Amino acid sequence: MTHIEPIYKSEAGREAIAALYDRLLAQWSAPLEQVLVSTRHGETFVAHWGNPDGPPLVLLHGSGSNSATWMGDAAAYAEQCQAYAVDIPGEP
């Protein structure tokens, strides 16, 4: 198993980022299911939303980002797809 270094310098920093992330997710433009998925690198967050009859669409963010990257496009994807925005382990 690969070891991933913690990205937060303190618990207070982790809590501040988590609170900001929660506020962003509360503004999602489509009904959102929040899921924690176990991986060999630890748990990671997945935002899931969209048309349950549509094809799956997996969205991966770039470096130094998270699934909130897709907020602006969420409503458009929701019409046709089951969207899954995955937070890559080791990113904020």
Side-chain angles (χ1 to χ4, degrees), residues 3-52:
H3 175 72
I4 296 177
E5 290 295 320
I7 61 173
Y8 305 104
K9 295 183 182 196
S10 69
E11 182 60 21
R14 188 200 66 74
E15 289 174 2
I17 295 297
L20 175 61
Y21 198 23
D22 287 343
R23 287 195 301 274
L24 282 172
L25 294 174
Q27 299 172 27
W28 207 263
S29 60
L32 179 68
E33 178 185 7
Q34 300 178 35
V35 181
L36 286 178
V37 176
S38 294
T39 77
R40 66 181 180 167
H41 300 291
E43 283 190 331
T44 194
F45 175 80
V46 177
H48 174 228
W49 73 98
N51 181 345

Side-chain angles (χ1 to χ4, degrees), residues 49-62:
W49 73 98
N51 181 345
D53 297 322
L57 173 65
V58 177
L59 301 163
L60 302 174
H61 59 77

